[in-house]
Amino acid sequence: MRHFLLFILALLPLLAEAVDFDEHARRVPLGQVMDVYEDLRGQAHIEDVSTADFDERFRRHAAAVLNGGYSRSVYWIRVDLNYRPSAAGGPQRWLLELGYPPLDSVELYLPDPAGGYRLARRTGDTLPWSSREIGQGNYLFQLELAPHQPQRLYLRVQSQGSIQVPLTLWSPHAYLEEQSGHTYVLGIIYGVLLAMLVYNLFIYLSIRDVSYLYYILYIAAFGLYQISVNGAGLQYLWPDHPWWANVATPLFIGAAGLFGCQFARSFLRTAEHSPWVDRLLLLMMGLCSLVILLALLTDYGVSLRLATIMALLFTLAIFAAGIAAWLRKMRMARYFIIAWSALLIGGQINTLMVLGYLPHMFLTMYASQIGAALEVVLLSMALADRINVLKDERASILEASRAELEQLNSELAESNRLKDEFLSSISHELRTPMMGVMGALELLPSSETPAERQQYLRIATDSSRDMLRLVNNILVLSELRAGKQQPDWAPFSLRELTDALQQRFAPRADGKGLDFSVELDGPLPDLVHGDAEKLEQIIGHLLDNAIKFTRQGSVTLRISQAGPATLQLPLQFEVIDTGIGFGASDDDSLYEQFRQLDASLTRRYGGLGIGLAISQRLAVLLDGQLDHRSRPGHGSRFRLRLTVGLLTHSPLGRDLSSRTVTPGPIA
């Protein structure tokens, strides 16, 4: 009788802490009724932890799921079960589920007939699939519980990765019913991944857009990571290769990050639009490659921790790239941001579950997979939208190219027309002096007096000079177009330049009854450094046009200092006439070669239409600026601004003011 009382007293603590349930129970969560002992060194054995001396080391777990995080410790879980059916019956079979596949080692210890505990099952993802008692992704153990007989069991859990212990007791029928729903949902998720992979593969084969190839590789790597972490990889793909089961998780995380970054670079064209984002993604690709290498060469725990950090940085970098693209008003960036937001939210929910802030349930357990499925669908929509964007861009480019081609054709036609007019003009302009030469030479033998002979010789000489001037102008324009003309800087005299211009153009102006004057606005130095020949050509063409297009009034050449003089002297040359002028509509085409306001052969004013084109090109060659101002019927003013050098032996005191009236002509 005394021994029986001692036995009852020994069972009282067990009966007080045991979980009571009957035959109607379908699911019994054990997270808050189990006791946990953390073996920091991993040296304890079942013989140690099952003794009464270890009772005080176990602590009642308060949360629904044991969350050990990334820990090297061994966790011992103790659970007391008391099956108390309402009706008489024999032992009942129950299923103990540990719903976290990526655990390295899981050992179940049950009571033995000798009063101790025996190893009932050893499994984990470091062992072949055949070590599973029941072939499911989660760890399932069969328990035979006798009515009204409390039973204590121990679980030993160890892993180099995150340690999560969602422990549940199921009735077999309830588990099958619940598992079918999980299977359907996971089937839908993996089906979406596979469908999007095949769909985008066909699109890639059709249009050969490299963005689709990177996206396909990203889907494949991410899908294999999900299969690996859910235990499906060990179950269906590599059941006899537990080493690869551990390596696959960090390796596919790194591969997903690598191809995801490359996809983002190609899809968002970061190298073109955001160089700093592109460099950030390249840095992430380097980190992903390092994770892949470490997964193959180093410890699983090290590579998995680095892969977890990399996954967090990868998500932030991709999201930053999407935000940067959205700020640049890229249309497909909105789908990109929404897609990655779905993955980010799903990952955060799963992370909060892993950290113990959210309950361990189907939605939180598979939140990352659900978010990944949504992300894949939304990114496929983004790629489809990108096709539309590229199509619109190509249409815009084609339209712009068509408009540009039409413009080029129009310009080509106009250029051909101008060349035809130029050929007609040059034929006409060359024929006139040629006829003068030939006529004078034909009349020369029949002349009777020396005065007649002298007149015919002068006509032939003047006509030859006019023809030579036309040919020289054509050659100068050809050399300017070919880039063969170069400035020839040398000292020259402004006095000699103005004298030469006055001697050349004063008689022509006087012949038309025009007043011709050269005005010097203020004292100017005589000797300067520049290209006198080209400067004389520019002013000569301007004076030639001024006299040609002026029927009455005056033509004036005004020279002034355009700014303060240091070692350089800014000069301004103005050619002012009271001629016919022209309208603002002719301003843009005024300096084009072969361009004339009246190109007909019956026009009143002759010439080839290349004088202003030569002047403009020569002004640019001398680092000068040529502009104009004119109104129809009110004359024109052409202004040339350029800089000449001051000679150290030619001070400003030695100037032209002694022969200048301001304003007034040079006598």
Side-chain angles (χ1 to χ4, degrees):
M1 185 65 181
R2 187 179 63 180
H3 294 288
F4 176 75
L5 290 175
L6 291 175
F7 176 74
I8 295 299
L9 291 174
L11 285 178
L12 284 177
L14 183 62
L15 292 173
E17 299 176 357
V19 181
D20 294 334
F21 55 95
D22 58 19
E23 71 273 19
H24 301 294
R26 295 172 54 84
R27 177 179 180 272
V28 182
L30 303 177
Q32 294 178 320
V33 295
M34 63 185 186
D35 299 318
V36 179
Y37 164 61
E38 182 179 3
D39 183 8
L40 298 177
R41 297 183 179 180
Q43 297 178 350
H45 300 281
I46 186 61
E47 293 79 10
D48 302 320
V49 299
S50 60
T51 62
D53 296 337
F54 258 74
D55 285 346
E56 61 182 12
R57 302 189 187 184
F58 279 90
R59 295 290 182 269
R60 176 55 55 95
H61 191 257
V65 177
L66 169 62
N67 181 7
Y70 287 95
S71 175
R72 296 284 186 177
S73 301
V74 173
Y75 285 86
W76 288 89
I77 294 96
R78 185 179 67 188
V79 180
D80 295 318
L81 303 174
N82 186 19
Y83 174 48
R84 301 178 63 183
S86 57
Q92 182 71 32
R93 188 165 66 93
W94 297 84
L95 297 178
L96 181 65
E97 179 194 33
L98 200 167
Y100 191 70
L103 292 173
D104 292 348
S105 175
V106 179
E107 297 177 357
L108 174 65
Y109 293 91
L110 297 176
D112 60 12
Y117 286 86
R118 61 180 177 85
L119 177 63
R121 177 66 60 176
R122 177 185 289 117
T123 185
D125 65 359
T126 57
L127 297 174
W129 181 255
S130 58
S131 66
R132 306 288 179 100
E133 184 176 3
I134 298 176
Q136 291 292 326
N138 292 335
Y139 301 105
L140 281 179
F141 306 98
Q142 294 190 73
L143 299 178
E144 292 287 340
L145 299 179
H148 305 288
Q149 294 184 14
Q151 180 172 321
R152 173 172 289 180
L153 58 88
Y154 289 89
L155 280 172
R156 183 182 184 274
V157 178
Q158 184 179 13
S159 183
Q160 296 186 62
S162 176
I163 294 181
Q164 304 287 318
V165 185
L167 203 60
T168 308
L169 185 69
W170 293 88
S171 71
H173 294 292
Y175 181 80
L176 290 176
E177 293 172 2
E178 182 75 15
Q179 191 64 25
S180 62
H182 288 204
T183 304
Y184 293 149
V185 173
L186 289 177
I188 292 173
I189 293 174
Y190 293 136
V192 168
L193 293 177
L194 183 60
M196 290 298 101
L197 188 148
V198 174
Y199 165 73
N200 288 284
L201 177 61
F202 280 125
I203 294 180
Y204 168 70
L205 294 176
S206 300
I207 66 176
R208 297 292 179 177
D209 187 345
V210 71
S211 295
Y212 282 89
L213 178 60
Y214 296 137
Y215 184 54
I216 291 166
L217 293 173
Y218 166 73
I219 294 176
F222 190 82
L224 288 172
Y225 156 69
Q226 294 292 345
I227 290 174
S228 172
V229 78
N230 288 334
L234 184 61
Q235 181 177 0
Y236 297 109
L237 301 181
W238 43 81
D240 299 321
H241 300 85
W243 173 84
W244 175 252
N246 276 329
V247 169
T249 300
L251 186 143
F252 287 130
I253 291 176
L258 177 65
F259 296 126
C261 288
Q262 186 60 35
F263 164 70
R265 293 182 65 233
S266 176
F267 180 77
L268 299 176
R269 293 181 288 181
T270 55
E272 178 182 351
H273 298 291
S274 299
W276 69 271
V277 174
D278 191 67
R279 289 191 290 270
L280 175 63
L281 293 177
L282 286 173
L283 180 63
M284 285 303 307
M285 291 176 65
L287 181 59
C288 294
S289 301
L290 178 62
V291 168
I292 294 174
L293 186 63
L294 292 178
L296 297 171
L297 301 178
T298 62
D299 182 72
Y300 166 72
V302 174
S303 61
L304 186 60
R305 285 170 173 78
L306 182 59
T308 303
I309 297 173
M310 183 277 301
L312 176 62
L313 297 177
F314 162 75
T315 305
L316 296 176
I318 291 293
F319 203 75
I323 293 294
W326 179 70
L327 293 176
R328 293 195 310 271
K329 308 298 184 183
M330 294 181 67
R331 193 175 80 179
M332 60 269 199
R334 55 186 177 182
Y335 289 109
F336 189 86
I337 294 175
I338 295 173
W340 285 103
S341 297
L343 179 64
L344 183 61
I345 293 172
Q348 291 301 318
I349 292 175
N350 184 260
T351 302
L352 291 175
M353 181 275 297
V354 170
L355 296 176
Y357 295 107
L358 291 177
H360 185 93
M361 52 189 297
F362 177 81
L363 180 60
T364 57
M365 179 66 184
Y366 297 104
S368 60
Q369 288 93 322
I370 297 173
L374 291 174
E375 178 222 18
V376 167
V377 174
L378 290 171
L379 284 180
S380 295
M381 294 174 61
L383 283 170
D385 185 65
R386 182 173 182 266
I387 293 177
N388 294 329
V389 171
L390 293 177
K391 189 182 299 182
D392 293 342
E393 289 181 355
R394 290 191 184 99
S396 300
I397 293 173
L398 289 175
E399 180 64 24
S401 300
R402 185 187 64 79
E404 184 178 357
L405 183 60
E406 290 181 354
Q407 179 68 21
L408 290 175
N409 289 334
S410 176
E411 293 177 358
L412 181 60
E414 178 68 9
S415 177
N416 290 333
R417 185 185 68 80
L418 292 175
K419 288 179 181 179
D420 292 340
E421 291 179 356
F422 174 72
L423 291 176
S424 299
S425 299
I426 195 172
S427 300
H428 176 75
E429 295 294 332
L430 289 176
R431 186 170 63 246
T432 300
M434 181 62 71
M435 291 177 63
V437 173
M438 294 178 62
L441 293 178
E442 288 176 356
L443 293 174
L444 186 61
S446 60
S447 60
E448 298 179 355
T449 63
E452 283 187 69
R453 287 195 293 271
Q454 188 67 28
Q455 181 182 2
Y456 292 148
L457 287 174
R458 181 172 55 80
I459 292 174
T461 301
D462 291 343
S463 299
S464 299
R465 287 175 178 171
D466 289 342
M467 187 164 55
L468 180 62
R469 178 176 56 82
L470 293 174
V471 173
N472 284 337
N473 285 339
I474 295 172
L475 290 176
V476 169
L477 180 60
S478 299
E479 290 178 352
L480 286 171
R481 292 182 60 189
K484 295 182 179 180
Q485 286 271 3
Q486 298 295 331
D488 184 14
W489 309 107
F492 71 93
S493 169
L494 280 176
R495 183 192 304 274
E496 293 178 1
L497 175 66
T498 56
D499 288 345
L501 290 171
Q502 189 169 23
Q503 292 174 8
R504 176 179 168 187
F505 291 101
R508 287 183 55 190
D510 185 63
K512 293 185 66 174
L514 303 176
D515 293 332
F516 182 83
S517 62
V518 178
E519 298 178 359
L520 301 177
D521 191 3
L524 296 173
D526 181 14
L527 293 178
V528 293
H529 192 269
D531 193 331
E533 180 182 355
K534 293 181 177 59
L535 179 59
E536 184 178 356
Q537 287 181 359
I538 297 172
I539 301 174
H541 285 299
L542 298 178
L543 289 172
D544 182 69
N545 283 343
I547 295 173
K548 182 192 305 181
F549 293 103
T550 303
R551 287 177 290 183
Q552 60 182 5
S554 64
V555 174
T556 302
L557 170 62
R558 180 178 297 165
I559 307 174
S560 60
Q561 184 172 329
T566 53
L567 295 178
Q568 302 288 327
L569 176 65
L571 291 179
Q572 177 175 285
F573 299 85
E574 295 178 281
V575 176
I576 308 167
D577 64 66
T578 59
I580 61 174
F582 51 87
S585 61
D586 302 313
D587 286 358
D588 294 337
S589 60
L590 192 64
Y591 298 102
E592 294 181 9
Q593 57 195 20
F594 316 136
R595 174 71 67 174
Q596 292 180 318
L597 300 183
D598 180 11
S600 64
L601 294 179
T602 59
R603 63 188 183 274
R604 176 179 297 180
Y605 308 102
L608 299 178
I610 60 175
L612 287 179
I614 293 175
S615 298
Q616 174 73 5
R617 290 175 182 264
L618 287 175
V620 173
L621 186 66
L622 298 180
D623 295 327
Q625 181 182 1
L626 179 62
D627 56 26
H628 64 276
R629 187 175 60 195
S630 179
R631 283 195 305 163
H634 291 79
S636 304
R637 177 192 298 264
F638 283 83
R639 181 177 62 182
L640 171 66
R641 289 188 174 186
L642 53 78
T643 302
V644 296
L646 282 175
L647 300 178
T648 55
H649 60 276
S650 176
L652 279 174
R654 184 183 176 186
D655 55 43
L656 307 181
S657 58
S658 60
R659 60 192 297 265
T660 303
V661 178
T662 307
I666 294 178

